């Protein structure tokens, strides 16, 4: 039985433009680069010891005297239960590939795992929340101390609940965050905080699909859209439709429809379609080019 016959009809199916088609799978392969990451543990008493996975560019051929951005990746709710597949779900995996590393000029990649649990009803608890703010910044500081000669600008990329975590850290810790990339998340700080962030110089690349099924665009962005776009330190990408790299409108349904929520799959694909066309003409070299330009 075909995938599309096993799953529910997308809630937005009657809204898609004429001539478009629905795509049920990302076109990239998961697990290809997991062996490039080292599994480590950061001791913490507040939220428990934090597991994290590290790609070190110098250990994979980058110049030992170079400076490289450090990209911290934060996964979505429930993704801690999938083992090392969290490296992919957090968006980090393909950024370790030779192609992406070359485009960025090299980068450290750090996927941090929340200490999630499941209650008696199977619901995820202890996911990203304000208690994690200081532990995550402490991990960042420890990483920079360990790699003092080579660590460049800090990037904080989160998807869904991971984006919520990035936004939640921002008000208190924006001076520790050179660049943030919150994707399909909620909890955007108030305008006063965003003004402080702008004055400090933290760069923000916010990504959110307009047909997001789990974190609705109107809920997260809503009437703040024009103000967000007006901020000099903000780059905004709000696609009308989230597409897989094969060109089809994305549909995923594993208990809940989330194809339009999972715009992180576009980021994993470097914001470039399989045929080489950029998702947005502003970034002809995709996300890796944007990272290189802001590193």
């Amino acid at each position: 039985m075909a995938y599309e016959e096993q799953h529910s009809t997308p809630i937005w199916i009657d809204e898609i433009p004429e001539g478009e088609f629905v795509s049920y799978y990302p076109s990239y392969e998961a697990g290809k680069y997991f062996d490039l990451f080292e599994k480590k543990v950061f001791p913490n008493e507040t939220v428990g010891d934090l597991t994290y996975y590290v790609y070190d560019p110098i250990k994979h051929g980058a110049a030992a005297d170079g400076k490289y951005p450090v990209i911290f990746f934060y996964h979505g709710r429930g993704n801690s239960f999938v083992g090392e597949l969290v490296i992919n779900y957090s968006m980090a995996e393909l950024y370790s590939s030779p192609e992406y590393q070359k485009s960025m000029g090299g980068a450290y990649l750090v996927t941090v795992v929340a200490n999630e649990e499941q209650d008696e009803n199977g619901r995820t608890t202890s996911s990203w929340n304000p208690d994690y703010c200081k532990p995550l910044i402490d991990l960042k500081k420890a990483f920079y101390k360990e790699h003092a000669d080579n660590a460049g600008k800090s990037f904080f990329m989160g998807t869904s609940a991971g984006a919520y975590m990035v936004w939640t850290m921002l008000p208190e810790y924006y001076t520790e965050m050179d660049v943030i990339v919150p994707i399909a998340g909620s909890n955007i700080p108030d305008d006063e905080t965003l003004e402080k962030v702008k004055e400090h110089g933290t760069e923000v690349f916010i990504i959110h699909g307009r047909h997001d099924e789990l974190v609705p665009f109107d809920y997260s962005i809503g009437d703040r859209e024009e103000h967000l776009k007006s901020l000099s330190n903000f780059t905004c990408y709000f696609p009308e439709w989230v597409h897989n790299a094969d060109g089809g409108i994305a549909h995923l349904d594993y208990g809940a429809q989330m194809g339009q929520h999972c715009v992180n799959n576009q980021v994993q694909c470097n914001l470039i379609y399989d045929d080489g066309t950029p998702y947005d003409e502003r970034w002809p070299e995709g996300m890796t080019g944007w990272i290189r330009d802001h590193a």
Side-chain angles (χ1 to χ4, degrees), residues 1 9 32 88 123 128 167 232 244 250 255-256:
M1 183 182 295
T9 301
K32 187 175 180 180
N88 180 276
R123 291 176 297 195
W128 301 122
W167 284 127
S232 59
N244 282 329

Side-chain angles (χ1 to χ4, degrees), residues 159-161 163-164 167 182-188 207-208 215 220-221 261:
T159 180
S160 190
Y164 161 86
W167 284 127
I183 300 166
S186 62
N187 207 31
I188 300 175
I207 301 174
H208 207 118
V215 184
S220 180
I221 310 297
H261 175 62

Side-chain angles (χ1 to χ4, degrees), residues 14 27 42 44 57 65-66 82 96 119 121 132 167-168 175 212 225 251 257 264 278 295:
D14 293 332
S27 55
F42 179 71
N44 186 263
D65 60 351
V82 298
S96 71
D119 65 18
N121 297 312
Y132 281 91
W167 284 127
T168 301
T175 58
D212 190 314
E225 178 178 354
H251 176 47
Q257 292 184 13
N264 57 292

